[in-house]
């Protein structure tokens, strides 16, 4: 009997999941496992939690949905809590597992965890097989090796669009054979060391985790409202659910895959026509790919103050009160404050807002950009390690921005994107 583990991480879905498909093809029985890795619930060196309340709630919802979908086809989700390199070997020994299938990691801490697990598996004569499941373009299909990927996005985009293909998404499995898996037992927020926070009623969207919700959101944004056909014009919005796709939270946990979105978009274009807006969604998915490939190329450098450019930037050291004012939305700059209050109370902020508050922290307050990135890591429902740290390094002038110092004139931005003060009034009223 070949029994394998599928170690779910940020790929919490059945559709377009190569890890799961390959495991089913090469095994007689599958044990789907999710490990609450204790290192994801610590306080970082910057003084913030790695996982805050909003994202933790979204994760728990996503796992409930994954378990439900697995049980519908004969399986279920086994939950463990601790260090993956300790917990996964215990399951291997109990079920005489010969292979572990998992998503391939690219960022520094995740790769270290993967290496520690592999080391323990080796001792048990168990093989770790990993697959790239997070990007629109597969790394192997790029027209350059990872070390030769251009450091300027436009050069990467043009060559990739011209010379690479997007693979067809995998179908979801119809059946999984598993040993009996006990009913789902999730830790509480309290057990994870997290205080429950309610999402403010002014939130742009009631985000709910899981593949089912992700697909429902896609159908709403594409086929029910056709909002995708105006995406390019509305994407810099600040108020309401439909100015942008809001797919990011589900993409971050892998409740939906970029290739699945792409396939559905092609169906939409066949039915309702393609335009700049439908292309622009692919353009944004390409940015997401890019930061992931950049993380693979530069690894730990993305987490250092000097970034991938190894550039010294002057930092205001006497900064704890200014950092706190920024977090609490008490800087006195109304556009920054409204965005920061939205983030604090809902776990979400628009793309336009993110660029402005990051520019303000780096250029006006001259604080260490990594504190901003670490606070976003704690707060954001849609936190993705590559996009978050890649974007922050970009705005701090130590990442992939060819222009260097990208300064946002906040007053101009506010009058361009919030001219009637609708957004500021929404978040700044008591």
């Amino acid at each position: 009997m070949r029994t394998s583990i599928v170690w779910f991480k940020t790929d919490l879905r059945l559709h377009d999941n190569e890890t799961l498909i390959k495991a089913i093809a090469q095994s007689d029985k599958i044990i789907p496992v999710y490990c609450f890795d204790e290192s994801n619930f610590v306080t970082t060196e910057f003084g913030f939690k790695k996982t805050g309340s909003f994202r933790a709630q979204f994760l728990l919802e996503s796992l409930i949905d994954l378990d439900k979908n697995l049980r519908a086809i004969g399986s279920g989700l086994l939950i463990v809590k601790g260090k993956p390199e300790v917990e996964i070997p215990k399951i291997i020994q109990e079920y005489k597992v010969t292979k572990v299938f998992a998503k391939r990691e690219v960022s520094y801490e995740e790769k270290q965890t993967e290496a520690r697990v592999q080391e323990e598996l080796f001792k048990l004569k168990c093989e770790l097989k990993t697959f790239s499941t997070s990007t629109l373009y597969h790394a192997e299909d790029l027209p350059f090796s990872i070390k030769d990927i251009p450091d300027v996005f436009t050069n990467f985009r043009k060559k990739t669009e011209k010379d690479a293909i997007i693979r067809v998404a995998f179908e979801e499995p119809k059946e999984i054979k598993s040993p009996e898996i006990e009913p789902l037992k999730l830790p509480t927020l309290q057990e994870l060391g997290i205080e429950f926070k309610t999402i403010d009623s002014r939130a742009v969207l009631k985000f709910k985790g899981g593949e089912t919700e992700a697909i429902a959101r896609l159908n709403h944004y594409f086929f029910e409202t056709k909002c995708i056909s105006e995406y390019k014009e509305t994407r810099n919005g600040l108020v309401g659910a439909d100015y942008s796709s809001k797919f990011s939270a589900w993409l971050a946990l892998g409740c939906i895959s970029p290739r699945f979105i792409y396939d559905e978009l092609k169906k939409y274009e066949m039915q309702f026509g393609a335009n700049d807006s439908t292309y622009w969604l692919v353009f944004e998915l390409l940015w997401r790919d890019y930061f992931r490939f950049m993380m693979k190329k530069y690894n730990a450098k993305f987490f250092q103050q000097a970034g991938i450019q190894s550039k010294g930037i002057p930092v205001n050291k006497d900064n704890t009160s200014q950092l706190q004012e920024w977090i609490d939305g008490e800087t006195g700059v109304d556009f920054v404050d409204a965005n920061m209050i939205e983030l604090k109370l809902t776990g979400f902020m628009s793309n336009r807002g993110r660029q402005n508050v990051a520019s303000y922290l780096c250029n006006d307050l001259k604080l260490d950009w990594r504190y901003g990135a670490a606070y976003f890591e704690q707060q954001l429902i849609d936190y993705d390690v590559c996009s978050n740290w890649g974007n922050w390094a970009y705005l701090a002038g130590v990442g992939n921005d060819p222009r260097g110092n990208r300064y946002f004139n906040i007053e101009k931005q506010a009058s361009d994107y919030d001219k009637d003060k609708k957004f500021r009034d929404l978040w700044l009223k008591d």
Side-chain angles (χ1 to χ4, degrees), residues 387-406:
S387 294
N388 183 64
W389 289 84
N391 269 309
W392 268 97
Y394 191 96
L395 279 151
V398 297
N400 292 94
D401 186 359
R403 271 175 36 186
N405 193 11
R406 190 169 289 254

Side-chain angles (χ1 to χ4, degrees), residues 144-421:
F144 12 61
S145 66
I146 293 291
K147 70 174 177 36
D148 295 325
I149 287 186
D151 285 344
V152 175
F153 172 71
T154 305
N155 303 345
F156 161 80
R157 177 182 65 80
K158 285 180 175 166
K159 193 156 173 51
T160 301
E161 286 178 337
K162 186 167 145 292
D163 296 336
I165 51 123
I166 295 168
R167 296 184 183 186
V168 178
F170 286 89
E171 293 289 320
E172 59 184 275
K174 299 285 176 270
E175 184 191 15
I176 301 178
K177 292 188 167 59
S178 294
E180 195 173 331
I181 292 169
E182 60 179 38
L184 186 69
K185 282 194 190 134
L186 289 174
T188 61
L189 286 179
Q190 203 175 359
E191 285 165 344
L192 296 169
I194 293 169
E195 185 190 335
F196 172 77
K197 289 195 173 85
T198 333
I199 294 183
D200 191 285
S201 61
R202 291 168 285 182
V204 289
L205 189 67
K206 285 192 165 52
F207 285 99
K208 189 175 182 207
E211 181 175 15
T212 307
E213 291 286 335
I215 293 170
R217 174 65 193 170
L218 181 143
N219 285 327
H220 166 84
Y221 196 73
F222 285 8
F223 302 101
E224 290 161 21
T225 63
K226 305 186 183 57
C227 285
I228 182 60
S229 289
E230 279 139 36
Y231 172 63
K232 196 178 179 197
E233 290 76 55
T234 62
R235 69 197 166 88
N236 282 308
L238 300 162
V239 179
D242 292 340
Y243 64 78
S244 65
S245 74
K246 308 291 188 298
F247 295 159
S248 56
W250 291 284
L251 278 165
L253 276 184
C255 300
I256 197 165
S257 85
R259 286 193 308 212
F260 180 83
I261 293 173
Y262 181 80
D263 286 354
E264 293 297 306
L265 185 67
K266 290 292 133 193
K267 289 179 199 168
Y268 177 89
E269 287 178 337
M270 289 286 292
Q271 209 175 334
F272 303 108
N275 64 8
D276 282 356
S277 286
T278 56
Y279 165 72
W280 208 261
L281 189 74
V282 183
F283 177 86
E284 296 293 357
L285 288 171
L286 251 175
W287 262 111
R288 198 176 158 275
D289 274 16
Y290 184 62
F291 281 130
R292 192 165 176 87
F293 296 138
M294 280 292 116
M295 188 68 79
K296 204 168 176 180
K297 179 176 176 178
Y298 285 107
N299 213 284
K301 282 188 111 175
F302 264 113
F303 303 96
Q304 290 157 10
Q305 196 182 336
I308 65 172
Q309 298 189 13
S310 306
K311 194 156 124 188
I313 42 174
V315 166
N316 165 14
K317 291 279 183 243
D318 180 29
N319 58 21
T320 42
S321 62
Q322 283 185 312
L323 180 67
Q324 198 55 50
E325 284 163 4
W326 179 79
I327 287 168
D328 293 331
E330 292 173 355
T331 67
V333 180
D334 62 359
F335 193 55
V336 170
D337 291 346
N339 276 291
M340 292 307 294
I341 291 165
E342 180 185 26
L343 175 62
K344 187 177 189 178
L345 300 183
T346 70
F348 187 80
M349 190 195 292
S350 68
N351 181 52
R352 181 57 45 191
R354 292 179 204 206
Q355 293 182 56
N356 275 277
V357 302
S359 171
Y360 184 76
L361 180 117
C362 299
N363 298 311
D364 295 86
L365 299 180
K366 299 218 174 336
L367 301 184
D368 182 338
W369 66 273
R370 295 172 303 162
Y371 282 85
Y375 177 63
F376 271 32
E377 179 170 359
Q378 171 186 283
Q379 283 303 108
L380 285 173
I381 287 183
D382 66 3
Y383 170 76
D384 168 277
V385 57
C386 306
S387 294
N388 183 64
W389 289 84
N391 269 309
W392 268 97
Y394 191 96
L395 279 151
V398 297
N400 292 94
D401 186 359
R403 271 175 36 186
N405 193 11
R406 190 169 289 254
Y407 178 75
F408 281 72
N409 178 332
I410 312 271
E411 288 310 314
K412 184 180 184 316
Q413 290 273 312
S415 66
D416 285 353
Y417 296 104
D418 188 32
K419 33 180 169 303
D420 55 5
K421 290 200 165 183

